[in-house]
Amino acid sequence: MPHYPDEIEYSDKYFDDVYEYRHVILTKSIAKTMFKVTEGKRLLSEDEWRHLGVQQSRGWKHYEIHRPEPHILLFRRMKGTNPQTGQVGEVPEMARA
């Protein structure tokens, strides 16, 4: 039986040599809304996952459907992505000062 939290849950970030990753666990009602949109057959665009209530900094991409638990969204972004702009390789303005 799948675990559905009362509120959207966000994992800590984890990394490999190229990407940073995180997963997001949807509530049962939000997962039902997602299934109506995608029928569980395609990835969500940024506009779609934000519309569902997922809140993250910029640059994250929904990159894979976890078939055993499709209510768990898998995200990744390139290491070095600016979380304010979503662009890779930019130095955040605060770090320039």
Side-chain angles (χ1 to χ4, degrees):
M1 180 127 173
H3 161 68
Y4 290 101
D6 293 331
E7 295 180 0
I8 295 174
E9 290 183 0
Y10 300 86
S11 75
D12 290 334
K13 296 176 199 169
Y14 42 101
F15 307 88
D16 65 16
D17 292 340
V18 179
Y19 294 102
E20 59 182 325
Y21 301 88
R22 80 172 340 158
H23 57 273
V24 175
I25 306 174
L26 302 178
T27 66
K28 191 170 193 173
S29 64
I30 294 172
K32 285 181 181 182
T33 301
M34 181 195 68
F35 293 135
K36 288 178 186 175
V37 172
T38 67
E39 298 178 353
K41 296 179 181 178
R42 66 173 180 81
L43 300 174
L44 295 169
S45 69
E46 182 172 350
D47 285 342
E48 289 172 325
W49 56 259
R50 287 193 187 280
H51 184 72
L52 291 173
V54 175
Q55 298 178 0
Q56 312 185 88
S57 55
R58 298 189 184 275
W60 291 101
K61 305 286 185 215
H62 181 210
Y63 77 97
E64 187 173 333
I65 297 171
H66 183 57
R67 298 280 179 216
E69 297 175 298
H71 67 288
I72 300 177
L73 305 181
L74 304 174
F75 289 93
R76 71 179 179 191
R77 67 178 173 190
M78 295 283 292
K79 283 177 131 179
T81 299
N82 180 318
Q84 295 173 343
T85 66
Q87 300 298 312
V88 178
E90 288 186 9
V91 178
E93 190 171 322
M94 292 173 28
R96 288 187 223 152

